[in-house]
């Protein structure tokens, strides 16, 4: 039985021979390619065929490099996102402030325009907060007695009447809105001139006209203005718009519901009307006041009025009276004395005893 080495371990030509042969072939190919450029096409074919193998061999290297770039890029992107979010929040806050300032500027311009058209002096104020009592409709302004604010002054905005100052503190003042249940204002229908009184309805935020006659000239859409009859609100200020008219049976009063025109729920700046309207003096009761002696002396002298001439009534002339018949007197006869009639005796006076 022969023991021969396996084919893997069989040795052919010697190694030195192989090296010499391959070196000679390499030199020959280099000379041919440099001199005649015969291997250019062969090199292109070999490069095309071996390109996928080259890319496959470079995948591990590229994967390792890309993995490092991925994690570094991810951390950089996360940081950039956080910075952008912070910047966006800051920008949104600045934008909101800018929008608020623009709205306030627009409102202030409207208030200045309305202030220029008021016949009385007014003062700008700002709403601080609502009153603590939730059952009332009141707000607190940033003006008080230090700014010469007194109780009873009306408060308005560029759209109409807001309310009235009901309580004053040194640096703040409390304003009761028109929609409060305890508030009333004399108004006049702009279209027909009808005068009435508007009362607040509380939390509903509306006004109503009570005890309105069934045939009153009021329709939906009429604008109510201040009549100025109370001497507090200047006449001609817008108050509300009629939103609903309730007609009831004959002989009963109706009710009219109105929506206020003032924008107290939308704006923070208001105008306080500082000057009360001058009221005419109260007439003096002449029956209660008696003139004194000095006042009588200061009275002007008055010429007496001429008396009218009175005519005597016309009297009819008396009727003619017939003459009385003449008495016959007897003539005296010679030698005979005439008879003289004696006068009748006077009646006797009664005595005291008879009494």
């Amino acid at each position: 039985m022969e023991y021969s080495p396996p084919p893997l371990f069989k040795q052919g030509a010697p190694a030195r021979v192989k090296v010499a042969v391959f070196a000679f072939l390499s030199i020959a190919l280099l000379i041919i390619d440099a001199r005649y450029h015969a291997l250019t096409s062969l090199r292109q074919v070999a490069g095309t065929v071996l390109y996928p193998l080259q890319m496959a061999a470079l995948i591990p290297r590229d994967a390792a490099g890309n993995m490092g770039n991925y994690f570094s890029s991810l951390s950089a992107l996360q940081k950039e996102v956080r910075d952008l979010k912070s910047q966006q929040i800051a920008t949104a806050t600045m934008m909101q402030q800018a929008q608020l300032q623009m709205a306030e500027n627009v409102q202030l311009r409207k208030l200045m325009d309305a202030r220029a058209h008021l016949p009385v002096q007014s003062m700008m104020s700002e709403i601080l907060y609502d009153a603590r009592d939730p059952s009332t409709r009141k707000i607190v302004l940033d003006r008080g007695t230090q700014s010469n604010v007194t109780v009873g002054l009306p408060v308005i905005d560029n759209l109409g009447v807001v309310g009235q100052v009901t309580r004053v503190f040194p640096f703040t003042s409390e304003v009761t809105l028109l929609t409060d249940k305890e508030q009333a204002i004399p108004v006049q229908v702009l279209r027909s001139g009808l005068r009435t009184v508007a009362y607040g309805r509380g939390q509903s935020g509306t006004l109503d006209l009570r005890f309105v006659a069934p045939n009153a000239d009021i329709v939906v859409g009429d604008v109510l203005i201040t009549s100025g009859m109370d001497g507090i609100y200047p006449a001609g200020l817008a108050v509300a718009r009629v939103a609903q008219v309730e007609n009831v049976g004959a002989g009963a009063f109706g009710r009219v519901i109105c929506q206020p025109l003032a924008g107290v729920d939308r704006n923070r700046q208001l105008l306080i009307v500082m000057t009360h309207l001058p009221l005419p003096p109260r007439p003096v009761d002449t029956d209660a006041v008696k003139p004194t002696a000095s006042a009588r002396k200061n009275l002007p002298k008055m010429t007496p009025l001429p008396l009218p001439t009175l005519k005597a009534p016309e009297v009819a002339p008396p009727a003619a009276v017939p003459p009385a018949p003449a008495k016959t007197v007897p003539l005296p006869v010679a030698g005979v004395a005439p008879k003289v009639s004696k006068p009748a005796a006077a009646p006797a006076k009664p005595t005291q005893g008879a009494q």
Side-chain angles (χ1 to χ4, degrees), residues 70 81 155 203 254 267 311:
Y70 170 76
V81 168
V155 180
Q203 295 299 328
N267 302 317
K311 294 182 179 181

Side-chain angles (χ1 to χ4, degrees), residues 96-116:
Q96 290 178 358
Q97 293 179 356
Q99 291 178 353
L100 178 61
Q101 291 178 358
M102 290 176 62
E104 289 183 355
N105 289 336
V106 172
Q107 177 64 16
L108 290 174
R109 288 179 181 274
K110 293 180 181 179
L111 288 178
M112 293 298 292
D113 189 15
R115 184 179 183 180

Side-chain angles (χ1 to χ4, degrees), residues 309-317:
T309 57
L310 299 178
K311 294 182 179 181
E314 296 180 357
V315 180

Side-chain angles (χ1 to χ4, degrees), residues 295-302:
R296 291 176 182 176
K297 292 181 180 180
N298 296 330
L299 292 177
K301 296 182 180 180
M302 300 179 64

